[in-house]
Amino acid sequence: MVKYSDAILDRTFAALSDPTRRALLAQLEAQDSISVSELAKPFAVSLPAIMKHLDVLSDAGLVTRSKTGRTVTCRLNAGPMEQAMEWLHRYQRFWSAQLDRLAAFVEEEPCSPKLKLVHPKSPASPSNDASRLRPPKSTGPGRTPRK
């Protein structure tokens, strides 16, 4: 069995939980290396806000940054996502096996001819609309009906 680091998985999933950070990663996937200012252009948030998102991605190990002069360049590091995908794949196998067993069970069971499914609004149902529209039995205590 593969040993997963809970702290790494927690940081990876926390970083991936934000749509802005996922969009930043998508941009980094499309371009090998990109400056922070170019990375921030499509977003309607401030450059400091983008820097905070990049800090979270860097802390999770998903982004590496390098500085040349005054330009900070970012690059995608997919390693932590690979570990997260392996972790998710383990549960995919579990659910696939469970669903396969459920499908086999359903296919084995013959349908009982006695079992009849009735739609709640169908006339065969005892609780159709006509049975619910009954006049009140009384007008209440001390009241007489108007004529």
Side-chain angles (χ1 to χ4, degrees), residues 13 18 34 39 48 80 86 88 114 131 137 139 145:
F13 285 121
D18 185 82
I34 186 170
L39 198 55
E86 289 172 11
L88 289 169
K114 294 178 186 177
S131 66
K137 292 183 179 180
T139 58

Side-chain angles (χ1 to χ4, degrees), residues 69-88:
R70 295 177 69 182
T71 305
V72 177
T73 314
C74 297
R75 183 174 287 214
L76 176 66
N77 177 24
M81 282 191 278
E82 289 173 16
Q83 187 177 358
M85 288 300 297
E86 289 172 11
W87 185 85
L88 289 169

Side-chain angles (χ1 to χ4, degrees), residues 19-42:
T20 301
R21 290 193 286 266
R22 289 193 305 268
L24 288 167
L25 291 174
Q27 276 189 289
L28 289 169
E29 179 200 8
Q31 294 181 307
D32 185 38
S33 182
I34 186 170
S35 72
V36 172
S37 58
E38 286 293 317
L39 198 55
K41 275 186 182 177

